[in-house]
Amino acid sequence: MFKNTKAFSGFSVDNIEKAKEFYGGVLGLQVVENKMGILELQIAGGTTIIIYPKPNHTPATFTILNFPVADTEKAVEDLTKLGISFEQYDYEDFKTDEKGIFRGGGPLIAWFKDPAGNILSVLEEE
């Protein structure tokens, strides 16, 4: 039924202006605000992700966007210079290092939050 449907994803934020500045100004993504006040992130490959305002927004407790990068160390360094803090996880079998990078198997990955508290990541392309 959906074989030829162009699907898209979306998520909520509590402040659309802060989201617009963060995704467009800090992360450098192309952001378009449509007539309904919804942001559209234009991602490489023609994918669109929508960001919509929600007064009773609750941040996602899981990763909502993964940004593949050639070098996770460099991406973390560059984003840290832009004022982004990386999450620290310290579970028995899941720990990040002092930079916030998980090195426990699979691609290097580091998590950070948008202004609404949603979790994003940079992960190294293999």
Side-chain angles (χ1 to χ4, degrees):
M1 174 155 90
F2 298 121
K3 183 177 180 180
N4 296 314
T5 300
K6 183 179 177 185
F8 63 92
S9 184
F11 58 91
S12 70
V13 296
D14 55 359
N15 185 310
I16 207 76
E17 287 305 315
K18 283 184 181 178
K20 187 176 184 179
E21 171 55 32
F22 179 77
Y23 286 97
V26 178
L27 297 185
L29 297 171
Q30 182 180 352
V31 178
V32 175
E33 188 168 355
N34 72 23
K35 292 181 262 183
M36 296 179 4
I38 293 174
L39 301 182
E40 297 176 1
L41 297 182
Q42 308 296 316
I43 305 296
T47 302
T48 298
I49 299 168
I50 64 167
I51 302 174
Y52 54 93
K54 186 176 177 194
N56 61 345
H57 165 76
T58 301
T61 57
F62 51 87
T63 308
I64 61 163
L65 279 177
N66 295 288
F67 295 101
V69 295
D71 183 341
T72 299
E73 294 265 1
K74 175 93 169 85
V76 167
E77 180 182 314
D78 292 347
L79 290 168
T80 300
K81 288 178 185 174
L82 293 172
I84 292 175
S85 298
F86 284 83
E87 297 299 295
Q88 295 291 320
Y89 297 110
D90 188 11
Y91 303 110
E92 184 177 324
D93 58 349
F94 187 85
K95 296 180 183 189
T96 55
D97 66 14
E98 67 282 347
K99 295 179 182 179
I101 300 173
F102 176 69
R103 302 171 189 276
L108 297 183
I109 185 168
W111 294 269
F112 60 102
K113 292 182 179 177
D114 73 2
N118 294 311
I119 301 169
L120 315 172
S121 83
V122 288
L123 87 144
E124 198 158 314
E125 295 178 300
E126 294 185 320

